[in-house]
């Protein structure tokens, strides 16, 4: 599978997750906290667990949001299908973050390509994302995986034409333009 399909599928899943939680308060669980038996029920079903680390030493702001996604990337010409996803505010805590992502085994076909990815957003802007694919569950890959996040490089996008080139000609002459000679008038004798 090509990298752009995976990144596109992951970006689509983040966009859909952001739309789904637009009018709800984000969950109050933090990725570093371990749930005690008295505060939350223990996860007893099948799950994928691991650690998320950031390749750069950087302090995340308190409003950073960590998203870990388990998805089925079996179809080559379609976006990956999200099986399970966990979204949590970091609340000022720093990497590494631990996660436990429960899933329904009936959602996973025996020959499916199941991948795990993660991302960190700040103010709805993607700032860190996994740079490689971690296959889990099928093919004796196991249910434990550690993810490494790398910074997302910003690519500037032009919002209006620059005025250069044949389509962007504004009719003004450039300061260093060579004047075009005009034809001489025809005189008759």
């Amino acid at each position: 599978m090509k990298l752009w399909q995976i990144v596109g599928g992951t970006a689509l899943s983040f966009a859909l997750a952001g739309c789904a939680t637009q009018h709800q308060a984000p969950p109050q669980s933090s990725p570093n906290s371990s749930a005690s038996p008295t505060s939350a029920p223990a996860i007893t079903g099948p799950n994928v667990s691991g650690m998320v680390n950031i390749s750069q030493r950087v302090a995340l702001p308190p409003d950073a949001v960590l998203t870990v996604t388990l998805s089925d990337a079996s179809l080559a010409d379609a976006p990956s299908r999200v099986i399970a996803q966990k979204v949590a505010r970091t609340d000022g805590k720093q990497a590494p973050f631990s996660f436990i992502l429960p899933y329904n085994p009936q959602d996973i076909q025996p020959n499916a390509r199941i991948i795990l990815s993660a991302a960190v957003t700040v103010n709805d802007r993607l700032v860190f994302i996994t740079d490689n694919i971690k296959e889990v569950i099928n093919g004796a890959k196991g249910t434990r995986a550690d993810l490494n996040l790398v910074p997302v490089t910003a690519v500037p996008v032009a919002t209006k034409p620059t005025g250069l080139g044949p389509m962007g000609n504004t009719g003004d002459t450039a300061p260093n333009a060579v004047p075009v000679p005009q034809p001489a008038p025809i005189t008759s004798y």
Side-chain angles (χ1 to χ4, degrees):
M1 181 176 283
K2 295 180 181 169
L3 181 62
W4 68 269
Q5 291 171 333
I6 294 168
V7 171
T10 304
L12 177 64
S13 66
F14 291 134
L16 291 175
C19 292
T21 60
Q22 182 178 5
H23 298 292
Q24 299 174 358
Q28 295 300 319
S29 65
S30 65
N32 278 345
S33 65
S34 59
S36 64
T38 58
S39 65
I43 297 174
T44 58
N47 62 66
V48 175
S49 62
M51 300 292 287
V52 176
N53 199 5
I54 298 176
S55 63
Q56 290 184 341
R57 293 189 66 171
V58 62
L60 295 174
D63 61 340
V65 176
L66 173 67
T67 304
V68 181
T69 305
L70 182 69
S71 55
D72 181 353
S74 300
L75 299 175
D77 293 339
S80 59
R81 180 178 60 89
V82 174
I83 296 169
Q85 189 173 54
K86 182 176 183 177
V87 179
R89 283 184 179 255
T90 60
D91 292 328
K93 295 187 173 95
Q94 303 300 318
F97 302 106
S98 62
F99 67 90
I100 298 175
L101 192 60
Y103 66 91
N104 183 355
Q106 294 175 347
D107 290 340
I108 298 176
Q109 300 298 320
N111 58 350
R113 184 172 185 223
I114 308 301
I115 60 172
L116 189 65
S117 62
V120 172
T121 57
V122 176
N123 297 328
D124 295 326
R125 189 172 150 241
L126 192 62
V127 290
F128 292 99
I129 193 164
T130 49
D131 65 340
N132 55 17
I133 300 167
K134 290 287 186 177
E135 288 190 54
V136 291
I137 303 172
N138 287 343
K141 302 283 194 269
T143 58
R144 169 115 179 113
D146 294 335
L147 300 172
N148 190 36
L149 301 181
V150 296
V152 174
T153 54
V155 178
V157 177
T159 57
K160 56 184 173 180
T162 60
L164 301 177
M167 299 304 288
N169 189 359
T170 61
D172 297 336
T173 58
N176 295 332
V178 177
V180 177
Q182 299 295 323
I186 299 175
T187 56
S188 57
Y189 293 98

